[in-house]
Amino acid sequence: MNIIWKSIRPYGRVLKALEGFMYDLKRFYKYAGWRINMSDKDVRNYYSVKVYHSLEKSLSYKNRNIGSGWTDAFLILEAIEYALKSKEIAFHDYLAYERLIQFINHPDNANTENAKKIRSRLKETKYFQNRETTPATFNYKESDYQKGILSKPEDFFFSRFSLREFKDEIVDEDIIKHAVKLAIKSPSVCNRQPWHIYHITDKITKEKALKYQAGNRGFGDKIPNLIIVTTDLRAFIAGQEHYQHWIDGGMFSMSFIWALHSLGIASCCLNWSQSPSNDKAFRKLINIHPAHTISMMIAVGKPDTENIVCSSKRRPLQEVYTFIDSNKGEEG
Ligand SMILES: Cc1cc2nc3c(=O)[nH]c(=O)nc-3n(C[C@H](O)[C@H](O)[C@H](O)COP(=O)(O)O)c2cc1C
């Protein structure tokens, strides 16, 4: 019996994975931005940044391909026209407008027929006026990059450990917000910034929330601030982007943890590898927006004067690193 169970059990895991894939597929179908519904402010804004970012890139190249970018310029124009119709204008709508103006006014483009067409369609611009404008690109020196150099990177990177027991004190919301602001500088696909962060300090809500997460056993009741990192599925349009929200959520989470670390605040990731039923029940409890996918929870708190941490040794470099030597590729 034991042998049979042992041989069947791994297949159970694959079935669980299948259940998860189906759940993710259903969520992608229901909430992702593939319909490009431009009258939905959020979908339109994610779409706009995706498109106007390509204009920013086109304007940033030292050797520009003159004549390129017009397809995107007309797509942005359409998005702006939708925004004007809806009169619900948000952050990326404004930037889309700015980038389009900068693109059509670029010396390479200003006198083209396309620029004239766009100008004539961009008549009703009062919603976009009287705002401080930002450049699409700017010069950034080598010395600017060097401001990020740490004299001893090891001091920063190797002094972070996941902490599971904290000072019995809630971290000030301003510190959390500061760390979120720093972490928002994380790269994201086409700069879509699909993140949404939920922050809980209320004891009862934390307790209820942590019941859904197995990895906090033994320390859940000592977590002062609980963070839930989510990404907005509406930001993802192409079918191939079905995993992108997990990636962007992971990128943000790590930056947030480093940001906290730079502010002297400790943290511990709490995985959200969940069954569909737990995910559904949890999002109902916390009132998570239906389109927001949970990446992970993060326990946050101040380190105590004395702490005991797991050593969590790292693998040797040679196990995780391969240099692809193309000269040797064909041999043997
Ligand atoms: C996505 C993710 C989920 C994690 N989930 C848990 C968890 O549920 N409970 C826990 O105690 N630690 C959790 N951890 C923390 C890891 O155990 C820890 O990062 C690892 O052992 C390395 O140790 P260090 O962070 O101290 O360097 C998680 C880490 C990651 C990245």
Side-chain angles (χ1 to χ4, degrees):
M1 185 66 182
N2 208 5
I3 295 172
I4 297 172
W5 173 238
K6 266 192 177 166
S7 56
I8 291 175
R9 208 174 163 199
Y11 294 99
R13 292 179 190 134
V14 178
L15 286 178
K16 279 267 172 220
L18 183 64
E19 187 194 12
F21 290 139
M22 296 312 291
Y23 179 60
D24 292 342
L25 176 65
K26 206 168 146 194
R27 284 186 47 76
F28 189 88
Y29 179 77
K30 264 180 113 168
Y31 303 116
W34 56 272
R35 292 177 186 87
I36 320 184
N37 175 9
M38 296 285 241
S39 45
D40 178 321
K41 168 179 72 65
D42 295 296
V43 172
R44 185 182 65 243
N45 270 257
Y46 287 126
Y47 170 79
S48 289
V49 62
K50 175 182 179 293
V51 183
Y52 82 65
H53 183 60
S54 60
L55 287 194
E56 287 181 333
K57 288 201 296 188
S58 149
L59 292 169
S60 77
Y61 298 134
K62 284 181 184 157
N63 295 315
R64 292 193 61 242
N65 180 6
I66 297 174
S68 72
W70 287 106
T71 307
D72 288 331
F74 279 99
L75 291 176
I76 291 171
L77 177 65
E78 244 177 62
I80 291 168
E81 287 172 338
Y82 270 103
L84 285 169
K85 246 186 261 161
S86 78
K87 302 212 163 46
E88 200 188 3
I89 296 171
F91 183 75
H92 285 306
D93 290 319
Y94 285 113
L95 280 172
Y97 174 77
E98 271 179 37
R99 298 299 172 256
L100 184 59
I101 295 292
Q102 285 153 348
F103 181 78
I104 61 173
N105 288 344
H106 188 280
D108 293 339
N109 301 336
N111 297 318
T112 59
E113 279 308 305
N114 280 337
K116 279 181 209 156
K117 263 187 219 160
I118 291 177
R119 265 189 220 107
S120 73
R121 274 170 66 180
L122 267 180
K123 277 178 199 142
E124 198 187 350
T125 57
K126 63 180 181 216
Y127 292 102
F128 296 105
Q129 282 161 4
N130 303 324
R131 280 185 82 254
E132 197 188 321
T133 55
T134 55
T137 63
F138 56 93
N139 292 332
Y140 204 69
K141 295 186 174 58
E142 192 180 3
S143 57
D144 292 318
Y145 274 104
Q146 285 166 350
K147 284 183 200 155
I149 293 178
L150 300 170
S151 60
K152 276 197 197 163
E154 283 77 4
D155 278 357
F156 181 70
F157 284 90
F158 295 165
S159 60
R160 186 207 58 80
F161 284 87
S162 291
L163 199 61
R164 297 175 175 86
E165 290 172 303
F166 305 91
K167 232 177 223 163
D168 185 15
E169 202 182 299
I170 287 177
V171 177
D172 209 65
E173 196 185 3
D174 284 344
I175 298 179
I176 302 290
K177 283 184 176 169
H178 188 180
V180 172
K181 265 190 157 180
L182 294 171
I184 283 180
K185 188 66 180 82
S186 303
S188 60
V189 65
C190 306
N191 197 26
R192 277 177 250 178
Q193 307 164 56
W195 309 296
H196 197 92
I197 312 307
Y198 296 83
H199 178 198
I200 308 170
T201 54
D202 173 64
K203 197 171 169 5
I204 295 170
T205 316
K206 265 188 299 183
E207 249 171 46
K208 283 188 191 164
L210 287 165
K211 277 204 180 119
Y212 287 92
Q213 205 277 340
N216 70 88
R217 275 194 206 120
F219 66 97
D221 56 333
K222 298 182 188 101
I223 296 173
N225 303 62
L226 186 66
I227 300 293
I228 306 163
V229 178
T230 74
T231 43
D232 194 338
L233 262 175
R234 290 172 296 184
F236 303 100
I237 297 164
Q240 297 93 314
E241 291 186 332
H242 59 291
Y243 287 135
Q244 196 58 50
H245 58 317
W246 303 113
I247 297 165
D248 285 3
M251 298 286 286
F252 178 91
S253 301
M254 193 62 248
S255 298
F256 179 64
I257 290 164
W258 286 127
L260 289 170
H261 185 56
S262 77
L263 300 170
I265 304 297
S267 63
C268 181
C269 301
L270 300 172
N271 78 79
W272 197 247
S273 304
Q274 281 295 349
S275 65
S277 57
N278 258 6
D279 187 69
K280 278 186 214 159
F282 179 80
R283 35 175 65 257
K284 203 169 166 195
L285 172 81
I286 308 294
N287 205 10
I288 305 272
H289 187 287
H292 293 174
T293 296
I294 301 168
S295 290
M296 67 179 81
M297 295 203 228
I298 303 179
V300 175
K302 292 187 180 169
D304 237 326
T305 319
E306 301 291 335
N307 305 278
I308 303 174
V309 296
C310 300
S311 57
S312 301
K313 283 302 199 199
R314 295 314 201 250
R315 294 162 69 190
L317 185 66
Q318 68 269 24
E319 283 194 14
V320 300
Y321 174 82
T322 301
F323 178 74
I324 307 289
D325 186 347
S326 48
N327 293 327
K328 287 188 179 169
E330 300 289 308
E331 284 172 21

